[in-house]
Amino acid sequence: MLKRLALLLLLATPAHAVQPDEVLSDPGLEARARQISQVLRCPVCQGENIDESNAEVSRDLRLAVRERLVAGDSDAQVIDYVKSRFGEYVLFEPERTGANLILYWIGPAVLVVALGGVFLWLRGRRREDEAGATVLSAEEEARLKELLKE
């Protein structure tokens, strides 16, 4: 039972493609490299970060990230270095500036407009129902009550 549980735990952990020869000897730098590798998208693979990808270009990027960290670059400088060579596509979360703001705000804006349209449509239907309702005379109401009693 314990062996099965250990096997399940191993299978549940994310698979990293980092090779032993890529790992830095400084645990702090290695942790930073792993953290940066999680936010950089593989230019070849779809939806994989460079930490999980087995593509050759991802290996090159992982090595470049580690080289820049060893050279003393900050995390932002390393990300800017990779972004300058591959474009903004390599970022899993594009920066919230310039034209990207349109992409970030268009979804909520469309939702607000759609909710406003539904509200106006429902309000118009209610007014139509109220205007179209027939008013019964006193004689008709009495006749209706008499029919309902039967």
Side-chain angles (χ1 to χ4, degrees), residues 34 45 115:
R34 286 288 177 98
C45 310
L115 289 175

Side-chain angles (χ1 to χ4, degrees), residues 7 17 72 75-76 79 108 127 134 144 147:
L7 180 63
D75 294 0
I79 291 171
R127 285 185 181 166
T134 56
L144 182 62
L147 289 173

Side-chain angles (χ1 to χ4, degrees), residues 43-127:
V44 176
C45 310
Q46 292 198 357
E48 277 189 323
N49 59 40
I50 65 171
D51 200 39
E52 297 170 351
S53 173
N54 286 320
E56 193 64 36
V57 69
S58 290
R59 176 178 165 77
D60 294 341
L61 281 172
R62 288 191 301 264
L63 291 172
V65 164
R66 284 165 173 76
E67 286 173 12
R68 303 300 302 176
L69 288 174
V70 169
D73 287 358
S74 69
D75 294 0
Q77 288 172 325
V78 172
I79 291 171
D80 287 341
Y81 171 80
V82 174
K83 187 176 80 170
S84 70
R85 275 141 185 82
F86 289 92
E88 206 167 330
Y89 172 76
V90 296
L91 300 178
F92 267 116
E93 288 189 29
E95 297 171 349
R96 291 182 170 102
T97 58
N100 288 343
L101 282 176
I102 294 169
L103 297 174
Y104 276 102
W105 286 105
I106 199 159
V110 168
L111 177 65
V112 167
V113 168
L115 289 175
V118 168
F119 173 75
L120 292 174
W121 178 72
L122 287 174
R123 198 171 91 187
R125 281 196 62 195
R126 186 177 49 170
R127 285 185 181 166

Side-chain angles (χ1 to χ4, degrees), residues 22-37 65-66 68-75 78:
E22 297 176 25
V23 177
L24 296 172
S25 59
D26 181 3
L29 284 179
E30 181 60 28
R32 285 177 54 202
R34 286 288 177 98
Q35 197 171 26
I36 293 170
S37 295
V65 164
R66 284 165 173 76
R68 303 300 302 176
L69 288 174
V70 169
D73 287 358
S74 69
D75 294 0
V78 172

Side-chain angles (χ1 to χ4, degrees), residues 136 138-150:
L136 298 177
E139 293 173 3
E140 292 171 329
E141 280 187 40
R143 175 76 178 133
L144 182 62
K145 287 179 185 177
E146 183 181 315
L147 289 173
L148 290 175
K149 285 182 184 177
E150 293 178 3

